[in-house]
Amino acid sequence: VALDALDELKVEVLADTLGPSTLARLKSATAGLKDSSGDSALDTVLAEIELRVEVEIAKLAPAKKPS
């Protein structure tokens, strides 16, 4: 599931059609990967992917006007 979401993300980024549904799907897929894998390098990469997804979701969110 996570690899499918990453592949969809790659296609949409290259086509400049990245949408919130793809990011939400990737976020959902990465949420289940929070447990330690026992491989610190893999855990680091997964944490970086999760952070990047959060950043991209925030960038797509409508800007809130200051009160």
Side-chain angles (χ1 to χ4, degrees), residues 12-63:
E12 289 187 17
V13 166
L14 291 174
D16 198 27
T17 60
L18 183 60
S21 64
T22 301
L23 291 171
R25 185 170 168 228
L26 186 57
K27 181 179 179 180
S28 176
T30 60
L33 302 175
K34 288 200 183 255
D35 295 335
S36 176
S37 69
D39 181 338
S40 62
L42 178 58
D43 292 341
T44 299
V45 169
L46 293 174
E48 290 174 4
I49 290 171
E50 184 177 13
L51 177 61
R52 187 65 191 181
V53 168
E54 291 294 333
V55 168
E56 293 301 325
I57 288 171
K59 285 169 44 177
L60 288 175

